[in-house]
Amino acid sequence: MAISTIEELFEHELKDMYGAETSLLAALDQMADESSDRDIKKSFQQHRKETQGQLKRLERVFKAIGEKPEAETCPGIEGLIKEKKTFMRERPSDELLEFYNIGAAQKVERYEITAYENLIDMADKLGLRDVVELLEQNLQEEEAALNKLKAIASEFDAAEEEETTSSRGR
Ligand SMILES: [Fe+2]
């Protein structure tokens, strides 16, 4: 069926985001596994937990518009995940992979932030006040996650990472 109204577009984009957040659970797990730095590992694990909460909110949004939660494959996020997999072929060192992941996660957050902003704008046009509020909460979490990643990236010291790793006897 062709999409011709904002209401239909909203539903399409919502399914897309539900698919994106679902795919990100596994990606965040993997990035936590690939982190040797305890704080970095913890922040990926924490954002995974937040992502589960975001999925729950999206389920409430589906309910609010009288639809069942349904995931659509999100080619945007799948592309970012694929980009990371392609990078693995370059056989990065553990330290560089960790640093790369912090950058890759920021790309994901930027994508999600724009997707949520678009959804909020549409929900607002449709007069769906409760939905706007739920989506705003997800948006705020993504913005906070992006800021945290930016701080981690600027503090990241590859030389120091190297030392920590070798002192563990690797
Ligand atoms: Fe998210």
Side-chain angles (χ1 to χ4, degrees), residues 21 54 112 142:
E21 297 286 17
Q54 290 170 358
E112 289 188 284
E142 308 298 16

Side-chain angles (χ1 to χ4, degrees), residues 17 20-21 24 28 47 50-52 54-55 58 108-109 112-113 116 138 141-142 145:
M17 211 47 205
E21 297 286 17
L24 287 171
L28 285 162
H47 195 53
E50 271 176 352
T51 301
Q52 283 176 310
Q54 290 170 358
L55 280 162
L58 292 181
V108 168
E109 293 308 327
E112 289 188 284
I113 285 167
Y116 279 123
N138 281 12
E141 283 179 356
E142 308 298 16

Side-chain angles (χ1 to χ4, degrees), residues 144-163:
L146 175 63
N147 287 335
K148 196 169 175 191
L149 286 163
K150 278 197 222 170
I152 290 172
S154 67
E155 280 165 22
F156 191 90
D157 185 338
E160 199 181 283
E161 283 294 304
E162 188 85 51
E163 254 168 52

Side-chain angles (χ1 to χ4, degrees), residues 54-67:
Q54 290 170 358
L55 280 162
K56 289 261 173 302
R57 283 194 204 107
L58 292 181
E59 284 160 16
R60 286 166 66 191
V61 171
F62 276 109
K63 200 174 175 194
I65 62 166
E67 294 292 333

